[in-house]
Structures are given as structure tokens and as C-alpha cells.
Amino acid sequence: MLIHCQKRKKDLWTRPVLQATITVDNSAILGYVFFPNLWAKGYAREAVKCMINYLVETYQNMDFRADVNIQNYRSIALLHNLGFVQSKQDEFNHEVQYRKL
């Protein structure tokens, strides 16, 4: 499943991109990109929460996962706010995995 709305404006993406990859074990790997013009306005929280609600309604019991760069404090805060917890960190300390059961 890919949910996206993108628009090119002078070679810059101006709208967010959200994606959920559904695996065979009924897990969803979430991905999203929000650009600086949309930061700190609540759009990411609202959009990701809406996507999670849609997936739960559609697929019932789901396990959610998101991999985040360790320095992406905004995304980590967003995931914490949505009930995700850290599940593991890569061996090079570049990415952290968060899960929501």
C-alpha cells in the first residue's frame, strides 16, 4: 500500500509522502517524508496516525515498525508520541527501529 501526494515545484518536493509496506506476517513497515515547510505543524502526527488507524481497521491486528536515523529527533519524538517503543539499534548506531504492537 502506498499513500502519497507529491508535487514537483522547481525540482523540490513540496508535499509529504507516506508509505506502509504490509508483510506476510501482518506487519506494517512505515515510511514517511515531511519537508521543512511542514515541520512543527502537527501534519506528520495527524497523517501517520490516520494511516495507522486505516491499517488497523483494514487488517485488524497489526504490528507496526519504523526505522529511523538516530539523529532524526523529530521523527523519534513523533513515534514516541504515537506509542512506539525502541526495539533495536543497528550495530553502527546509525538507525533505530521502533515498534508498536
Side-chain angles (χ1 to χ4, degrees):
M1 177 178 130
L2 176 65
I3 302 172
H4 66 88
C5 41
Q6 335 178 48
K7 183 178 181 182
R8 280 183 95 55
K9 181 178 182 181
K10 296 186 180 181
D11 294 325
L12 295 175
W13 296 107
T14 59
R15 304 238 173 123
V17 177
L18 293 110
Q19 174 181 326
T21 302
I22 310 301
T23 64
V24 293
D25 64 346
N26 212 33
S27 294
I29 303 168
L30 305 181
Y32 48 85
V33 177
F34 285 80
F35 293 94
N37 63 318
L38 300 174
W39 291 354
K41 297 179 181 174
Y43 297 139
R45 183 179 186 281
E46 184 177 341
V48 175
K49 185 177 178 181
C50 181
M51 182 168 57
I52 289 171
N53 290 341
Y54 171 80
L55 292 170
V56 168
E57 288 176 15
T58 304
Y59 297 95
Q60 276 67 51
N61 297 324
M62 297 219 58
D63 175 29
F64 295 96
R65 189 181 97 199
D67 298 317
V68 183
N69 182 296
I70 193 82
Q71 296 178 339
N72 190 340
Y73 302 112
R74 288 179 183 268
S75 189
I76 291 170
L78 168 67
L79 293 171
H80 279 290
N81 188 274
L82 292 172
F84 283 73
V85 294
Q86 183 177 335
S87 61
K88 66 180 180 179
Q89 190 166 341
D90 76 2
E91 62 187 85
F92 302 107
N93 294 320
H94 295 187
E95 283 196 354
V96 181
Q97 184 178 95
Y98 285 84
R99 295 184 89 89
K100 178 183 173 87
L101 303 175

XYZ file of all heavy atoms in Angstrom:
844
model
N 0.848 -1.159 0.000
C 0.000 0.000 0.000
C 0.899 1.229 0.000
O 1.834 1.324 0.766
C -0.849 -0.010 1.258
C -1.712 1.190 1.392
S -2.697 1.030 2.871
C -2.361 2.584 3.584
N 0.628 2.127 -0.866
C 1.382 3.367 -0.927
C 0.399 4.515 -0.917
O -0.482 4.595 -1.763
C 2.236 3.408 -2.196
C 3.025 4.680 -2.455
C 4.071 4.886 -1.382
C 3.687 4.614 -3.813
N 0.512 5.346 0.103
C -0.313 6.544 0.180
C 0.623 7.704 -0.069
O 1.604 7.860 0.641
C -0.961 6.698 1.564
C -1.820 5.481 1.893
C -1.767 7.982 1.645
C -2.341 5.468 3.301
N 0.354 8.473 -1.087
C 1.254 9.595 -1.317
C 0.536 10.724 -2.023
O -0.453 10.544 -2.696
C 2.481 9.167 -2.124
C 2.155 8.754 -3.528
N 2.104 9.627 -4.573
C 1.846 7.551 -4.041
C 1.791 8.983 -5.676
N 1.631 7.728 -5.377
N 1.040 11.889 -1.784
C 0.618 13.046 -2.552
C 1.867 13.898 -2.704
O 2.390 14.397 -1.732
C -0.533 13.807 -1.911
S -0.438 13.998 -0.150
N 2.353 13.962 -3.887
C 3.585 14.673 -4.150
C 3.358 15.664 -5.289
O 2.532 15.449 -6.136
C 4.704 13.738 -4.555
C 4.604 12.343 -4.090
C 5.755 11.506 -4.589
O 6.896 11.893 -4.500
N 5.437 10.364 -5.109
N 4.123 16.686 -5.277
C 4.038 17.672 -6.341
C 5.434 18.246 -6.550
O 6.113 18.594 -5.597
C 3.062 18.783 -5.937
C 2.836 19.818 -7.002
C 1.821 20.824 -6.509
C 1.562 21.879 -7.576
N 0.621 22.872 -7.104
N 5.854 18.310 -7.786
C 7.153 18.883 -8.071
C 6.998 20.375 -8.318
O 6.127 20.812 -9.027
C 7.787 18.227 -9.293
C 8.415 16.903 -8.948
C 9.105 16.268 -10.107
N 10.503 16.424 -10.337
C 11.505 16.178 -9.535
N 11.295 15.851 -8.313
N 12.736 16.275 -9.927
N 7.855 21.130 -7.686
C 7.859 22.565 -7.866
C 9.312 22.985 -7.961
O 10.028 22.984 -6.959
C 7.175 23.253 -6.680
C 7.102 24.750 -6.794
C 6.363 25.335 -5.603
C 6.266 26.838 -5.755
N 5.585 27.427 -4.613
N 9.737 23.253 -9.162
C 11.136 23.633 -9.398
C 12.083 22.608 -8.792
O 13.004 22.928 -8.064
C 11.412 25.022 -8.869
C 10.626 26.094 -9.590
C 11.027 27.462 -9.134
C 10.193 28.486 -9.900
N 10.514 29.838 -9.554
N 11.768 21.301 -9.059
C 12.589 20.186 -8.604
C 12.647 20.017 -7.088
O 13.531 19.367 -6.568
C 14.003 20.270 -9.175
C 13.993 20.098 -10.676
O 13.177 19.317 -11.197
O 14.799 20.763 -11.316
N 11.719 20.579 -6.353
C 11.641 20.364 -4.914
C 10.320 19.671 -4.591
O 9.274 20.037 -5.111
C 11.704 21.696 -4.149
C 13.002 22.475 -4.261
C 12.851 23.825 -3.558
C 14.139 21.698 -3.623
N 10.370 18.673 -3.747
C 9.129 18.046 -3.301
C 8.490 18.976 -2.288
O 9.144 19.463 -1.383
C 9.416 16.690 -2.676
C 9.977 15.720 -3.648
C 11.272 15.295 -3.699
C 9.309 15.077 -4.719
N 11.437 14.421 -4.731
C 10.245 14.266 -5.380
C 7.998 15.107 -5.193
C 9.911 13.481 -6.474
C 7.672 14.322 -6.285
C 8.623 13.531 -6.909
N 7.220 19.231 -2.455
C 6.552 20.183 -1.576
C 5.454 19.547 -0.732
O 4.871 20.225 0.090
C 5.926 21.327 -2.399
O 5.005 20.773 -3.323
C 7.005 22.118 -3.111
N 5.173 18.285 -0.951
C 4.118 17.610 -0.199
C 4.672 16.337 0.429
O 5.626 15.767 -0.060
C 2.962 17.257 -1.134
C 2.421 18.473 -1.858
C 0.970 18.668 -1.591
N 0.539 19.921 -2.166
C -0.431 20.036 -3.033
N -1.084 18.979 -3.451
N -0.783 21.223 -3.488
N 4.054 15.889 1.500
C 4.563 14.699 2.197
C 4.340 13.414 1.412
O 3.481 13.341 0.543
C 3.749 14.683 3.489
C 2.497 15.409 3.158
C 2.888 16.463 2.155
N 5.129 12.421 1.762
C 4.986 11.079 1.216
C 4.842 10.134 2.400
O 5.648 10.175 3.328
C 6.223 10.682 0.378
C 6.090 9.262 -0.128
C 6.444 11.655 -0.762
N 3.814 9.285 2.380
C 3.606 8.270 3.411
C 3.513 6.922 2.730
O 2.915 6.813 1.654
C 2.309 8.516 4.187
C 2.297 9.765 5.030
C 1.358 10.774 4.426
C 1.909 9.412 6.421
N 4.071 5.907 3.377
C 4.046 4.570 2.791
C 3.940 3.535 3.890
O 4.519 3.702 4.965
C 5.327 4.327 2.002
C 5.453 2.922 1.481
C 6.745 2.714 0.728
O 7.227 3.616 0.066
N 7.299 1.533 0.839
N 3.218 2.467 3.631
C 3.172 1.311 4.532
C 3.347 0.064 3.687
O 2.588 -0.159 2.747
C 1.850 1.264 5.286
N 4.343 -0.710 4.004
C 4.563 -1.993 3.341
C 4.010 -3.072 4.252
O 4.462 -3.217 5.392
C 6.062 -2.231 3.085
O 6.568 -1.154 2.294
C 6.291 -3.546 2.373
N 3.010 -3.823 3.752
C 2.386 -4.884 4.541
C 3.115 -6.187 4.239
O 3.243 -6.584 3.096
C 0.888 -5.038 4.185
C 0.164 -3.690 4.224
C 0.229 -6.064 5.098
C 0.216 -2.978 5.530
N 3.592 -6.853 5.295
C 4.326 -8.103 5.126
C 3.391 -9.299 5.291
O 2.250 -9.143 5.733
C 5.475 -8.193 6.150
O 4.908 -8.230 7.461
C 6.412 -6.991 6.028
N 3.888 -10.485 4.973
C 3.060 -11.688 5.043
C 2.658 -12.038 6.478
O 1.664 -12.723 6.686
C 3.758 -12.901 4.384
C 3.901 -12.691 2.893
C 5.090 -13.183 5.032
N 3.412 -11.575 7.460
C 3.075 -11.868 8.854
C 2.198 -10.776 9.477
O 2.129 -10.644 10.686
C 4.330 -12.097 9.687
C 5.213 -10.869 9.799
O 5.000 -9.906 9.025
O 6.112 -10.861 10.648
N 1.532 -10.000 8.636
C 0.588 -8.960 9.067
C 1.267 -7.828 9.842
O 0.720 -7.287 10.786
C -0.565 -9.553 9.882
C -1.845 -8.767 9.682
O -2.090 -8.234 8.602
N -2.661 -8.686 10.710
N 2.478 -7.489 9.428
C 3.197 -6.347 9.978
C 3.171 -5.231 8.948
O 3.039 -5.484 7.751
C 4.650 -6.706 10.274
O 4.736 -7.646 11.301
N 3.321 -4.017 9.422
C 3.391 -2.872 8.522
C 4.687 -2.127 8.793
O 4.956 -1.738 9.937
C 2.203 -1.949 8.725
N 5.481 -1.948 7.751
C 6.701 -1.161 7.856
C 6.352 0.229 7.339
O 5.996 0.394 6.174
C 7.834 -1.791 7.036
C 8.075 -3.223 7.506
C 9.100 -0.947 7.152
C 8.961 -4.029 6.583
N 6.420 1.212 8.224
C 6.001 2.567 7.887
C 7.167 3.401 7.393
O 8.284 3.275 7.885
C 5.384 3.257 9.106
C 4.219 2.559 9.798
C 3.729 3.407 10.959
C 3.100 2.273 8.823
N 6.876 4.251 6.437
C 7.850 5.212 5.959
C 7.151 6.519 5.641
O 6.002 6.526 5.210
N 7.823 7.622 5.907
C 7.224 8.927 5.637
C 8.315 9.960 5.474
O 9.402 9.832 6.018
C 6.249 9.337 6.752
C 6.793 9.178 8.146
C 7.568 10.174 8.742
C 6.555 8.016 8.868
C 8.077 10.025 10.017
C 7.067 7.850 10.147
C 7.823 8.854 10.712
O 8.342 8.694 11.976
N 7.987 10.975 4.671
C 8.894 12.106 4.467
C 8.061 13.374 4.532
O 7.079 13.515 3.796
C 9.607 12.032 3.098
C 10.479 13.257 2.883
C 10.414 10.758 2.967
N 8.451 14.266 5.419
C 7.826 15.582 5.519
C 8.939 16.608 5.402
O 9.949 16.507 6.089
C 7.088 15.750 6.849
C 5.796 14.994 6.903
C 5.775 13.642 7.172
C 4.597 15.642 6.661
C 4.595 12.936 7.199
C 3.409 14.949 6.689
C 3.406 13.593 6.957
N 8.758 17.565 4.546
C 9.801 18.548 4.282
C 9.668 19.749 5.211
O 8.624 19.959 5.830
C 9.774 18.932 2.808
C 10.176 17.763 1.951
C 9.224 16.913 1.418
C 11.509 17.493 1.724
C 9.594 15.809 0.670
C 11.893 16.389 0.978
C 10.936 15.547 0.442
N 10.737 20.544 5.350
C 10.770 21.618 6.350
C 9.577 22.567 6.345
O 9.180 23.044 7.409
C 12.068 22.366 6.013
C 12.949 21.316 5.436
C 12.012 20.436 4.637
N 8.989 22.803 5.195
C 7.844 23.721 5.175
C 6.637 23.154 5.931
O 5.698 23.880 6.230
C 7.460 24.078 3.734
C 7.010 22.871 2.931
O 7.598 21.794 3.013
N 5.988 23.041 2.133
N 6.672 21.865 6.285
C 5.560 21.242 7.006
C 5.921 20.845 8.430
O 5.081 20.310 9.150
C 5.092 19.997 6.234
C 4.597 20.259 4.815
C 4.296 18.950 4.107
C 3.380 21.151 4.832
N 7.138 21.094 8.855
C 7.560 20.701 10.198
C 6.869 21.550 11.261
O 6.533 22.709 11.039
C 9.063 20.858 10.345
C 9.886 19.893 9.552
C 9.448 18.834 8.807
C 11.299 19.918 9.406
N 10.505 18.200 8.215
C 11.655 18.846 8.559
C 12.305 20.740 9.894
C 12.971 18.573 8.216
C 13.609 20.469 9.540
C 13.930 19.391 8.719
N 6.692 20.938 12.436
C 6.185 21.606 13.646
C 4.777 22.179 13.490
O 4.422 23.159 14.122
C 7.159 22.705 14.101
N 3.976 21.541 12.642
C 2.594 21.986 12.451
C 1.582 20.880 12.769
O 0.389 21.071 12.596
C 2.399 22.477 11.015
C 3.266 23.689 10.701
C 3.077 24.146 9.284
C 3.990 25.343 9.029
N 3.984 25.769 7.651
N 2.082 19.699 13.174
C 1.200 18.591 13.509
C 0.761 17.743 12.335
O 0.017 16.785 12.509
N 1.209 18.067 11.131
C 0.783 17.321 9.946
C 1.283 15.879 9.962
O 0.549 14.956 9.607
C 1.261 17.995 8.664
C 0.687 19.370 8.429
C 1.482 20.394 7.938
C -0.652 19.651 8.678
C 0.976 21.664 7.706
C -1.177 20.912 8.450
C -0.356 21.910 7.970
O -0.868 23.163 7.738
N 2.531 15.671 10.360
C 3.095 14.315 10.369
C 2.335 13.439 11.364
O 1.960 12.310 11.048
C 4.582 14.355 10.700
N 2.095 13.965 12.552
C 1.370 13.192 13.563
C -0.021 12.823 13.061
O -0.454 11.673 13.170
C 1.268 13.981 14.868
C 0.593 13.212 15.978
C 0.542 14.046 17.264
N 0.028 13.270 18.366
C -1.251 13.020 18.579
N -2.163 13.466 17.748
N -1.642 12.316 19.614
N -0.710 13.775 12.511
C -2.063 13.524 12.014
C -2.058 12.510 10.866
O -2.879 11.591 10.842
C -2.685 14.834 11.544
C -4.116 14.703 11.093
C -4.741 16.028 10.709
O -4.234 17.085 11.112
O -5.755 15.989 9.993
N -1.139 12.655 9.941
C -1.099 11.765 8.772
C -0.703 10.342 9.154
O -1.334 9.374 8.714
C -0.134 12.325 7.732
N 0.325 10.195 9.977
C 0.771 8.854 10.370
C -0.287 8.184 11.245
O -0.576 7.000 11.080
C 2.149 8.911 11.070
C 2.549 7.534 11.599
C 3.211 9.443 10.112
N -0.897 8.933 12.145
C -1.968 8.388 12.979
C -3.143 7.919 12.115
O -3.708 6.851 12.339
C -2.429 9.441 13.981
C -3.444 8.943 14.968
C -3.792 10.028 15.978
C -4.844 9.560 16.941
N -5.203 10.594 17.909
N -3.504 8.710 11.116
C -4.585 8.344 10.197
C -4.240 7.064 9.441
O -5.078 6.185 9.286
C -4.841 9.500 9.241
S -6.169 9.194 8.068
N -2.998 6.945 8.985
C -2.580 5.747 8.251
C -2.630 4.527 9.168
O -3.116 3.467 8.765
C -1.177 5.926 7.674
C -0.724 4.738 6.856
S 0.753 5.004 5.860
C 1.946 5.494 7.073
N -2.162 4.655 10.398
C -2.207 3.546 11.350
C -3.653 3.128 11.609
O -3.975 1.935 11.590
C -1.491 3.927 12.666
C 0.017 4.000 12.431
C -1.831 2.943 13.782
C 0.795 4.571 13.592
N -4.536 4.091 11.835
C -5.950 3.775 12.069
C -6.563 3.054 10.881
O -7.314 2.089 11.046
C -6.740 5.042 12.394
C -6.398 5.604 13.757
O -5.853 4.912 14.605
N -6.694 6.873 13.956
N -6.252 3.513 9.677
C -6.768 2.864 8.472
C -6.278 1.420 8.388
O -7.055 0.504 8.095
C -6.340 3.639 7.219
C -6.661 2.897 5.947
C -7.942 2.909 5.417
C -5.687 2.153 5.292
C -8.255 2.205 4.266
C -5.982 1.442 4.145
C -7.267 1.473 3.630
O -7.564 0.762 2.502
N -5.000 1.201 8.644
C -4.440 -0.144 8.557
C -5.034 -1.064 9.615
O -5.309 -2.235 9.341
C -2.918 -0.093 8.684
C -2.201 0.574 7.506
C -0.735 0.799 7.836
C -2.350 -0.247 6.242
N -5.253 -0.566 10.826
C -5.862 -1.375 11.888
C -7.292 -1.739 11.508
O -7.714 -2.890 11.677
C -5.809 -0.634 13.245
C -6.688 -1.327 14.280
C -4.377 -0.546 13.743
N -8.049 -0.784 10.979
C -9.426 -1.063 10.549
C -9.456 -2.074 9.402
O -10.329 -2.931 9.351
C -10.116 0.223 10.106
C -10.471 1.149 11.230
C -11.058 2.464 10.735
O -11.457 2.552 9.558
O -11.097 3.418 11.533
N -8.511 -1.988 8.504
C -8.489 -2.845 7.321
C -7.935 -4.235 7.609
O -8.471 -5.236 7.138
C -7.668 -2.182 6.198
O -8.216 -0.890 5.941
C -7.700 -3.004 4.925
N -6.852 -4.303 8.374
C -6.152 -5.571 8.591
C -6.279 -6.100 10.017
O -5.666 -7.105 10.357
C -4.664 -5.421 8.245
C -4.426 -5.097 6.798
C -4.277 -3.781 6.371
C -4.351 -6.107 5.845
C -4.053 -3.485 5.036
C -4.132 -5.815 4.512
C -3.984 -4.505 4.117
O -3.768 -4.203 2.796
N -6.993 -5.455 10.892
C -7.189 -5.810 12.302
C -5.857 -5.766 13.066
O -5.242 -4.741 13.128
C -7.887 -7.165 12.456
C -9.395 -7.085 12.357
C -9.898 -6.698 10.976
O -9.492 -7.303 10.002
N -10.751 -5.705 10.901
N -5.441 -6.887 13.615
C -4.250 -6.912 14.471
C -2.988 -6.725 13.637
O -2.641 -7.567 12.824
C -4.163 -8.238 15.231
C -5.329 -8.423 16.166
O -5.797 -7.451 16.746
N -5.798 -9.644 16.309
N -2.310 -5.627 13.884
C -1.094 -5.340 13.128
C 0.044 -5.003 14.073
O -0.170 -4.457 15.152
C -1.302 -4.151 12.190
C -2.332 -4.396 11.136
S -1.912 -3.706 9.541
C -0.377 -4.466 9.142
N 1.218 -5.318 13.636
C 2.460 -4.946 14.310
C 3.104 -3.894 13.412
O 3.295 -4.134 12.221
C 3.340 -6.188 14.434
C 4.700 -5.911 15.017
O 4.825 -4.965 15.819
O 5.647 -6.641 14.666
N 3.394 -2.720 13.952
C 3.961 -1.628 13.155
C 5.440 -1.478 13.455
O 5.872 -1.638 14.600
C 3.240 -0.309 13.456
C 1.806 -0.318 13.037
C 0.809 -0.622 13.945
C 1.457 -0.040 11.730
C -0.513 -0.639 13.558
C 0.140 -0.051 11.336
C -0.848 -0.359 12.250
N 6.201 -1.132 12.412
C 7.632 -0.922 12.562
C 8.056 0.298 11.772
O 7.524 0.575 10.701
C 8.388 -2.142 12.046
C 9.860 -2.094 12.354
C 10.562 -3.294 11.815
N 11.139 -2.900 10.531
C 11.522 -3.743 9.603
N 11.349 -5.034 9.767
N 12.057 -3.314 8.498
N 9.027 1.032 12.305
C 9.612 2.168 11.587
C 11.096 2.222 11.929
O 11.475 2.089 13.091
C 8.932 3.469 11.989
N 11.941 2.384 10.927
C 13.378 2.533 11.110
C 13.725 3.999 10.934
O 13.324 4.628 9.959
C 14.144 1.689 10.090
C 13.855 0.201 10.260
O 13.826 -0.264 11.405
O 13.654 -0.485 9.237
N 14.470 4.549 11.897
C 14.727 5.982 11.930
C 16.222 6.231 12.127
O 16.871 5.543 12.920
C 13.957 6.644 13.096
C 14.145 8.147 13.105
C 12.489 6.292 13.043
N 16.742 7.242 11.450
C 18.107 7.683 11.688
C 18.213 8.169 13.125
O 17.361 8.913 13.603
C 18.489 8.797 10.708
C 19.913 9.250 10.880
O 20.294 9.791 11.913
N 20.716 9.030 9.855
N 19.263 7.774 13.799
C 19.443 8.095 15.215
C 19.435 9.593 15.492
O 19.101 10.031 16.598
C 20.739 7.436 15.755
C 20.791 7.472 17.275
C 21.972 8.096 15.183
C 20.033 6.390 17.915
N 19.764 10.424 14.509
C 19.800 11.869 14.710
C 18.497 12.573 14.321
O 18.402 13.782 14.437
C 20.966 12.467 13.921
C 22.307 11.983 14.425
C 23.467 12.532 13.622
O 23.300 12.960 12.487
N 24.643 12.519 14.218
N 17.498 11.803 13.881
C 16.228 12.400 13.480
C 15.313 12.517 14.708
O 14.372 11.752 14.901
C 15.567 11.566 12.380
C 14.390 12.261 11.763
O 13.820 13.180 12.335
N 14.001 11.816 10.580
N 15.616 13.509 15.540
C 14.910 13.674 16.813
C 13.424 13.937 16.633
O 12.613 13.496 17.439
C 15.552 14.799 17.628
C 17.011 14.551 17.896
C 18.001 15.344 17.316
C 17.414 13.496 18.704
C 19.347 15.092 17.549
C 18.752 13.240 18.947
C 19.718 14.039 18.368
O 21.031 13.783 18.594
N 13.052 14.652 15.590
C 11.629 14.940 15.362
C 10.848 13.655 15.073
O 9.753 13.459 15.586
C 11.455 15.922 14.220
C 11.871 17.334 14.545
C 11.683 18.222 13.318
N 12.121 19.572 13.525
C 11.334 20.561 13.944
N 10.067 20.337 14.177
N 11.812 21.769 14.107
N 11.410 12.794 14.241
C 10.729 11.551 13.905
C 10.663 10.619 15.113
O 9.651 9.963 15.348
C 11.434 10.863 12.736
O 10.668 9.781 12.283
N 11.736 10.563 15.882
C 11.741 9.743 17.091
C 10.679 10.242 18.071
O 9.924 9.447 18.640
C 13.144 9.725 17.720
C 14.094 8.936 16.803
C 13.109 9.142 19.124
C 15.559 9.043 17.173
N 10.580 11.553 18.242
C 9.553 12.122 19.124
C 8.150 11.805 18.609
O 7.245 11.493 19.397
C 9.751 13.627 19.256
N 7.963 11.874 17.303
C 6.671 11.544 16.702
C 6.292 10.100 17.015
O 5.176 9.820 17.453
C 6.712 11.762 15.187
C 5.541 11.195 14.395
C 4.262 11.945 14.728
C 5.828 11.241 12.912
N 7.229 9.177 16.813
C 6.943 7.766 17.068
C 6.636 7.523 18.545
O 5.701 6.783 18.871
C 8.106 6.900 16.590
C 8.311 6.887 15.069
C 9.604 6.178 14.701
C 7.119 6.250 14.359
N 7.395 8.135 19.440
C 7.098 8.018 20.870
C 5.695 8.526 21.166
O 4.929 7.895 21.907
C 8.111 8.796 21.715
C 9.392 8.073 21.935
N 9.515 6.969 22.725
C 10.632 8.318 21.437
C 10.760 6.554 22.731
N 11.469 7.354 21.941
N 5.341 9.660 20.581
C 4.025 10.264 20.787
C 2.903 9.348 20.314
O 1.804 9.366 20.864
C 3.967 11.613 20.062
C 2.719 12.374 20.381
O 1.701 12.173 19.733
N 2.798 13.250 21.370
N 3.177 8.531 19.308
C 2.166 7.623 18.760
C 2.202 6.244 19.422
O 1.514 5.332 18.983
C 2.362 7.485 17.243
C 2.061 8.748 16.444
C 2.465 8.571 14.986
C 0.589 9.116 16.543
N 3.019 6.085 20.466
C 3.027 4.833 21.218
C 4.059 3.812 20.777
O 4.019 2.662 21.213
N 4.992 4.195 19.943
C 6.055 3.287 19.523
C 7.131 3.233 20.608
O 7.347 4.204 21.329
C 6.706 3.780 18.225
C 5.902 3.522 16.989
C 4.762 4.267 16.717
C 6.286 2.551 16.079
C 4.027 4.054 15.567
C 5.555 2.319 14.922
C 4.422 3.073 14.668
N 7.799 2.099 20.697
C 8.926 1.939 21.621
C 10.134 1.434 20.836
O 9.986 0.724 19.838
C 8.604 0.969 22.779
C 7.522 1.537 23.676
C 8.211 -0.394 22.260
N 11.319 1.794 21.309
C 12.535 1.355 20.626
C 12.694 -0.143 20.803
O 12.562 -0.667 21.900
C 13.753 2.080 21.193
C 15.038 1.713 20.483
C 16.238 2.498 20.991
O 16.086 3.591 21.519
N 17.412 1.946 20.824
N 12.970 -0.858 19.695
C 13.125 -2.304 19.773
C 14.556 -2.745 19.513
O 14.984 -3.756 20.037
C 12.159 -3.004 18.818
O 12.404 -2.619 17.492
N 15.288 -2.019 18.675
C 16.694 -2.353 18.475
C 17.412 -1.220 17.761
O 16.787 -0.313 17.218
C 16.862 -3.661 17.708
C 16.391 -3.660 16.270
C 16.631 -5.030 15.650
C 16.171 -5.065 14.217
N 16.420 -6.361 13.591
N 18.732 -1.302 17.794
C 19.577 -0.294 17.154
C 20.611 -1.033 16.313
O 21.117 -2.070 16.730
C 20.262 0.556 18.226
C 20.973 1.759 17.690
C 21.341 2.731 18.811
O 20.782 2.679 19.894
N 22.264 3.604 18.541
N 20.920 -0.504 15.120
C 21.875 -1.199 14.264
C 23.277 -1.165 14.882
O 23.573 -0.371 15.759
C 21.866 -0.656 12.831
C 22.570 0.678 12.656
O 23.128 1.210 13.629
O 22.558 1.185 11.534
N 24.123 -2.065 14.420
C 25.450 -2.211 15.018
C 26.347 -0.998 14.833
O 27.320 -0.823 15.558
C 26.142 -3.457 14.455
C 26.366 -3.399 12.944
C 26.900 -4.702 12.399
O 26.069 -5.581 12.121
O 28.126 -4.817 12.264
N 26.049 -0.152 13.866
C 26.855 1.038 13.623
C 26.249 2.293 14.257
O 26.747 3.387 14.094
C 27.034 1.265 12.117
C 27.689 0.085 11.438
C 26.943 -0.745 10.624
C 29.029 -0.195 11.643
C 27.530 -1.834 10.007
C 29.625 -1.282 11.035
C 28.876 -2.110 10.217
N 25.139 2.123 14.979
C 24.464 3.214 15.671
C 23.974 4.320 14.740
O 23.988 5.485 15.100
C 25.347 3.802 16.775
C 25.584 2.820 17.883
O 24.677 2.088 18.269
N 26.794 2.777 18.388
N 23.528 3.956 13.542
C 23.012 4.942 12.605
C 21.486 4.934 12.579
O 20.884 5.970 12.343
C 23.526 4.683 11.196
C 25.009 4.866 11.085
N 25.667 4.832 9.904
C 25.972 5.076 12.005
C 26.958 5.018 10.085
N 27.153 5.158 11.372
N 20.889 3.773 12.773
C 19.428 3.676 12.734
C 18.905 2.963 13.966
O 19.544 2.099 14.530
C 18.968 2.897 11.486
C 19.021 3.716 10.234
C 18.218 3.109 9.103
O 17.701 1.991 9.244
O 18.109 3.780 8.077
N 17.700 3.364 14.325
C 16.994 2.749 15.454
C 15.669 2.233 14.925
O 15.027 2.877 14.099
C 16.738 3.799 16.564
C 16.026 3.161 17.740
C 18.024 4.445 17.000
N 15.286 1.070 15.394
C 13.996 0.512 14.998
C 12.995 0.726 16.126
O 13.308 0.499 17.291
C 14.119 -0.973 14.697
C 12.821 -1.576 14.185
C 12.998 -3.031 13.848
O 12.712 -3.883 14.684
N 13.494 -3.305 12.652
N 11.810 1.172 15.757
C 10.714 1.363 16.714
C 9.560 0.448 16.326
O 9.313 0.225 15.143
C 10.259 2.821 16.730
C 11.227 3.708 17.460
C 12.338 4.218 16.822
C 11.045 3.998 18.813
C 13.251 5.002 17.496
C 11.948 4.786 19.493
C 13.047 5.278 18.833
O 13.947 6.044 19.507
N 8.865 -0.081 17.337
C 7.731 -0.962 17.093
C 6.525 -0.498 17.902
O 6.666 0.072 18.971
C 8.070 -2.395 17.492
C 9.155 -3.003 16.635
C 9.365 -4.448 17.010
N 8.499 -5.319 16.248
C 8.821 -5.843 15.074
N 9.954 -5.538 14.509
N 7.988 -6.647 14.451
N 5.377 -0.790 17.341
C 4.096 -0.553 18.030
C 3.278 -1.807 17.829
O 3.013 -2.206 16.683
C 3.387 0.664 17.442
C 2.042 0.952 18.060
C 1.386 2.141 17.357
C -0.010 2.360 17.824
N -0.078 3.207 19.000
N 2.899 -2.445 18.917
C 2.137 -3.697 18.821
C 0.645 -3.432 18.953
O 0.226 -2.468 19.509
C 2.578 -4.661 19.908
C 4.068 -4.992 19.893
C 4.421 -5.869 21.086
C 4.463 -5.684 18.608
